[in-house]
Amino acid sequence: MIATDTAQPWSAADYATNAHFVPALGAPVVALLNPQPGERILDLGCGDGVLTEKLVAAGASVLGVDADPDMLDAARARGLDVEQVDGQALDFVAEFDAVFTNAALHWMPDQAAVAAGVFKALKPGGRFVGECGGFGNIAAIRAGIRAMMFVHGHAVPPTEAQVYQTAAEYTAVLEAAGFTAVHAEIIPRPTPLATGITGWLKTFRSGFLDNFGIDRAHQDGFAEEVEDFLRPMLCDHAGNWVGDYIRLRFHASKPA
């Protein structure tokens, strides 16, 4: 799902083609949430609403929030209740039994603001459950992008916009916001990429490449070079691509 990185333009159509694995692999997080009939749930970074539908199907009353208009249009087309909201500026007060998030938090640089907003949005005794990119996530892909930028003389940024935390780091963020009973773990999850590195870059890093001097006219060629560079590490002999995904999965409670 998608959240608040304004530098990355999102396309619901590209997401469905190149990143359908994101909601498809979200079932364990939905199971951890265990949505109940009648619960009021906030889906933080709902994206196109594929997982939001599953929460609704469980009988919950769900509000999806996301920062991207195109993804929200796709969610509305599914008949879902969604709003355009920056996840770093939530203004709900004691409204939800649970807050759920999948594949969105790492797009939100101000993690303390997100945690504080979620804490405020929950009713006493509510729970925060989710999964996002963890420390070391897509390290090979990121290294491939940076290597090709260096080869072509582009400025290589010292840091990245996405936030990939260890379990200990994120536990500290949640506890500082007031959460208790925090459990966070890092889970390696090698992930098949049906459209290879080129499809992945088009969906997830076009804005990043824009910002660092690789215009749209040259991005396809650049993506092919990154793909060729990564082929020995991430593509098997049958031509199947696997992304080096690492997830941070967590649940926490707001004291009753």
Side-chain angles (χ1 to χ4, degrees), residues 5-9 107 149 154-157 159-162 204-216 219:
D5 189 319
T6 55
Q8 174 61 32
W107 294 100
M149 290 176 68
H154 295 285
V156 180
T159 60
E160 299 178 25
Q162 293 72 46
F204 292 107
R205 288 298 187 275
S206 59
F208 174 86
L209 299 181
D210 284 341
N211 289 343
F212 290 97
I214 304 170
D215 60 40
R216 294 302 171 93
Q219 285 189 15

Side-chain angles (χ1 to χ4, degrees), residues 31-51:
L32 183 62
L33 175 68
N34 190 24
Q36 298 298 308
E39 284 192 315
R40 180 69 169 154
I41 297 176
L42 178 68
D43 186 351
L44 175 59
C46 64
D48 59 7
V50 174
L51 284 183

Side-chain angles (χ1 to χ4, degrees), residues 130-196:
E131 184 177 290
C132 59
F135 184 75
N137 187 54
I138 54 167
I141 297 176
R142 290 153 56 204
I145 296 169
R146 297 168 78 85
M148 288 301 100
M149 290 176 68
F150 181 82
V151 165
H152 288 286
H154 295 285
V156 180
T159 60
E160 299 178 25
Q162 293 72 46
V163 181
Y164 300 125
Q165 300 167 98
T166 67
E169 286 172 331
Y170 195 55
T171 295
V173 170
L174 292 177
E175 290 179 342
F179 286 97
T180 58
V182 178
H183 176 78
E185 60 180 326
I186 290 291
I187 302 173
R189 192 200 68 194
T191 301
L193 304 178
T195 57

Side-chain angles (χ1 to χ4, degrees), residues 65-89:
V65 296
D66 202 284
D68 187 80
D70 194 57
M71 299 297 276
L72 288 171
D73 285 345
R76 290 189 185 100
R78 299 175 184 274
L80 298 169
D81 181 16
V82 297
E83 295 179 5
Q84 186 171 7
V85 175
D86 183 342
Q88 300 162 122

Side-chain angles (χ1 to χ4, degrees), residues 12-68:
D14 283 346
Y15 199 81
T17 299
N18 300 317
H20 55 82
F21 61 86
V22 175
L25 296 174
V29 197
V30 174
L32 183 62
L33 175 68
N34 190 24
Q36 298 298 308
E39 284 192 315
R40 180 69 169 154
I41 297 176
L42 178 68
D43 186 351
L44 175 59
C46 64
D48 59 7
V50 174
L51 284 183
T52 318
E53 281 187 321
K54 296 185 182 300
L55 308 184
V56 173
S61 169
V62 185
L63 173 64
V65 296
D66 202 284
D68 187 80

